[in-house]
Amino acid sequence: MNMDINLGSDFLNYIIRQGYQPGDRLPSIQELTADTHLDMSANKVREQLEVARQMGWVEVRSKRGTRIKDYAFTPAVRLSAMYAMACGERFEDFASLRNHVESAYWQEACALLTDEDLAVMQGCIERANQKLDSPPIHIPNPEHRLFHLTVFKNLQNTFVLGILEAYWDLYEEVGVNRYMDYRYLRRVWDYHSRILDLIRDGQFEEAQRAFVEHTRLLRHEPDNASWELERG
């Protein structure tokens, strides 16, 4: 922990310099304003505390008080990217970033997968196929998200995971999956089955190629078919 970094926030600097750790409870706002190490008004503490909450660095609960959370990059990326989308930036540009990140870390991530992880991915495929086979069709978006994030779950890199998790939050938020063509969904999950088989066989490079091919499907998505789709 580098206590010399100035975070541009007296409140955040205070948290770091006082050595608070995840799970630790912070003093009340009244106690914080009385702390000579902080020297902030109650309104200023509330303002900067809310920023920390939005970034996912602290949690505020009525009975538990304010506690430090384990650091995660996801909330900051998600909030910034959603603001960017609201300002007119293209989801496709963030999707391109996600695709490049997954491709760059693909083989390293595959080498860390356990038998339990592979079973989770297989379960995603089976549940997705059940949803697609059972009228009315339900789009297997939770399974899609879990399948991909499981590939990278063992990477010890919070920044990579933050980008990937934020991507799936945006994917849901902008409604990419809302009107997917049935044939497109089938192709996606056929690719997932192929990717999993290749990973099981240790053919990580071939699995990576299949992944890259499958990320290009959305660019060539056919017109919506007449199937009745419901969001899963």
Side-chain angles (χ1 to χ4, degrees):
M1 181 181 295
N2 190 338
M3 297 186 181
D4 296 328
I5 295 176
N6 188 334
L7 300 174
S9 162
D10 292 336
F11 176 70
L12 294 179
N13 287 335
Y14 171 83
I15 289 175
I16 297 299
R17 290 167 185 167
Q18 293 300 113
Y20 284 104
Q21 299 296 316
D24 288 349
R25 182 171 181 170
L26 290 177
S28 67
I29 291 178
Q30 183 178 6
E31 291 170 329
L32 287 169
T33 56
D35 192 327
T36 57
H37 293 96
L38 186 57
D39 191 25
M40 289 176 64
S41 68
N43 285 340
K44 206 67 173 176
V45 171
R46 289 190 185 94
E47 177 184 303
Q48 296 191 12
L49 178 62
E50 176 60 18
V51 172
R53 189 189 69 80
Q54 290 286 343
M55 293 295 101
W57 301 329
V58 301
E59 63 177 358
V60 182
R61 295 186 179 179
S62 57
K63 294 183 179 180
R64 297 186 68 235
T66 302
R67 294 182 182 272
I68 304 296
K69 296 180 67 176
D70 287 317
Y71 176 77
F73 191 41
T74 307
V77 179
R78 179 176 56 237
L79 182 60
S80 181
M82 285 186 175
Y83 180 77
M85 302 296 110
C87 291
E89 296 295 331
R90 295 178 349 123
F91 171 77
E92 292 81 358
D93 292 336
F94 192 84
S96 176
L97 170 64
R98 168 261 184 173
N99 292 344
H100 281 79
V101 170
E102 283 205 354
S103 185
Y105 284 89
W106 183 269
Q107 295 191 43
E108 178 183 344
C110 286
L112 297 173
L113 289 171
T114 66
D115 290 341
E116 182 179 349
D117 297 329
L118 298 178
V120 169
M121 294 167 69
Q122 181 64 49
C124 289
I125 293 171
E126 292 172 359
R127 289 193 300 276
N129 286 329
Q130 289 172 359
K131 286 185 174 183
L132 294 175
D133 288 337
S134 304
I137 297 166
H138 289 72
I139 298 177
N141 194 53
E143 291 77 13
H144 199 178
R145 176 188 180 117
L146 181 58
F147 183 92
H148 280 274
L149 291 183
T150 298
V151 176
F152 299 91
K153 67 183 288 288
N154 297 322
L155 288 176
Q156 298 300 308
N157 190 322
T158 189
F159 303 111
V160 170
L161 296 177
I163 291 172
L164 301 185
E165 289 172 352
Y167 164 80
W168 287 105
D169 290 339
L170 264 68
Y171 184 95
E172 177 71 19
E173 186 68 23
V174 302
V176 174
N177 65 322
R178 194 166 299 169
Y179 303 111
M180 291 300 185
D181 180 88
Y182 176 79
R183 291 166 295 176
Y184 164 81
L185 292 170
R186 274 298 184 197
R187 290 186 68 193
V188 165
W189 285 98
D190 286 346
Y191 265 104
H192 289 161
S193 295
R194 179 182 168 195
I195 288 168
L196 180 56
D197 287 342
L198 290 168
I199 291 174
R200 279 180 170 145
D201 290 341
Q203 299 183 54
F204 300 157
E205 188 172 346
E206 289 297 321
Q208 183 179 9
R209 289 196 187 97
F211 161 75
V212 172
E213 290 175 9
H214 122 283
T215 61
R216 293 172 179 162
L217 288 177
L218 189 57
R219 303 178 197 174
H220 309 290
E221 181 189 349
D223 294 335
N224 293 332
S226 59
W227 291 80
E228 180 185 357
L229 298 180
E230 293 184 0
R231 297 181 70 182

